[in-house]
Amino acid sequence: MKDALPIARRADIGPFEAGRIAYGCWRFAGFAPHEAQAKIDAALAIGANLMDTAAVYGGTAGFGGAEKVLGDVIAGSPGLRDQIVLVTKGGIHPPIPYDSRAHTLINSCEASLARLKTDRIDVFLIHRPDLLASYDEVAGALTTLRADGKIRAAGVSNFSPAQIRALQSKLDFPLVATQPEFSPTCVGALEDGSTDIAQELGLALMAWSPLGGGRLVPGARGEPGSVDARVLAVLEEIAHRNEVGVDHAALAWVLAHPATGFALIGTQSPERITASARAYDVQMTRRDWYAVLEAAKGTSMP
Ligand SMILES: NC(=O)c1ccc[n+]([C@@H]2O[C@H](COP(=O)([O-])OP(=O)(O)OC[C@H]3O[C@@H](n4cnc5c(N)ncnc54)[C@H](OP(=O)(O)O)[C@@H]3O)[C@@H](O)[C@H]2O)c1
């Protein structure tokens, strides 16, 4: 289709390059090593070599549980560490909930390195803004971690554009990434400046929960009249025409936006990881893309 929106397969994040469908490890804790290995292998096979995790991810396994599982896979797979772009986050400490004081961020990063069984984090993100931490202090911690070689690059998650600019103003190196929630049912990033600041500063935007955390999947219908139901109806039409699942159509919608660097998928099924690459082949027109947005907003564009 000649007027389909382009969906490139690779993107840059700071000095690194990775597949734009990336693997999110939020739901990763508690799996046996061979199960975790199967997910990572499936991700790498579709070019998804960016792995996103966080100190706080762990579910029932508790704080650090997800990093530990990924670290065991890294330790058990010679050469794997050099194949992946490793992203982790610090700064959330339930029930405080946020602590980005310099010593806390540095200790958190060092604990992540130990759990991940590696000597460096490729991109270290501040998970959420700590409203009690000064930007000078956060920047100081990132500068120390980078100077010590513990992190190669830094970014943020769930920061507003003003918060990103304030932190950037205190750094003498560029932030490389921002990670907001962004999906066909969570479109705030398009209007709160998140997609604009990413393009302005050259930040790799990593969209979290691109399938609405599991609500935009085959068989889902949503409550009648709800945002989910409206969006699913439009995605189903696009999916049907492209002979893919609604999950793939949703991923394609996220990837088709020019600010999106990466879509962080969170399925724990190796088969679904493999199938997610079908999103790259979706032929989505400008009209399709805007129809999804109109469904999300519940109104036509002016
Ligand atoms: N920075 C932040 O604050 C933040 C917050 C949340 C998430 N994240 C990042 O974003 C990543 C992805 O988040 P997410 O897990 O919410 O992403 P998601 O891809 O939107 O949702 C994943 C959920 O969808 C389900 N699913 C996917 N495909 C399906 C299918 N075909 N049929 C049925 N169910 C399906 C999965 O279940 P199955 O496992 O059964 O397939 C899983 O429960 C996280 O791992 C994390 O890295 C970041």
Side-chain angles (χ1 to χ4, degrees), residues 210-236:
L211 305 182
R215 301 196 319 278
L216 302 176
V217 298
R221 288 281 168 270
E223 291 294 315
S226 66
V227 175
D228 285 7
R230 290 198 306 267
V231 168
L232 281 162
V234 179
L235 288 176
E236 268 170 18

Side-chain angles (χ1 to χ4, degrees), residues 24 26-27 52 57 157-158 179 209 211 213 247 267-268 272:
W26 175 28
R27 304 173 194 268
D52 179 80
Y57 294 166
S157 179
N158 305 299
Q179 191 176 120
S209 293
L211 305 182
D247 43 349
T267 177
Q268 296 305 304
R272 286 175 185 155

Side-chain angles (χ1 to χ4, degrees), residues 72-127:
D72 289 345
V73 175
I74 289 171
S77 317
L80 176 63
R81 178 63 190 89
D82 292 334
Q83 286 179 54
I84 63 175
V85 179
L86 185 57
V87 181
T88 195
K89 319 180 192 75
I92 298 187
H93 296 268
I96 298 173
Y98 311 133
D99 188 344
S100 285
R101 286 175 293 173
H103 70 275
T104 309
L105 285 179
I106 290 169
N107 290 345
S108 177
C109 183
E110 287 172 348
S112 290
L113 286 168
R115 286 189 292 265
L116 289 163
K117 301 185 174 61
T118 183
D119 59 351
R120 82 274 181 199
I121 304 299
D122 294 323
V123 184
F124 182 72
L125 307 183
I126 308 298
H127 203 152

Side-chain angles (χ1 to χ4, degrees), residues 18-52:
R20 294 184 66 213
I21 294 174
Y23 194 51
C25 299
W26 175 28
R27 304 173 194 268
F28 207 52
F31 285 98
H34 72 279
E35 295 172 309
Q37 180 83 54
K39 300 170 212 276
I40 299 299
D41 288 348
L44 291 176
I46 62 157
N49 61 316
L50 188 153
M51 308 294 161
D52 179 80

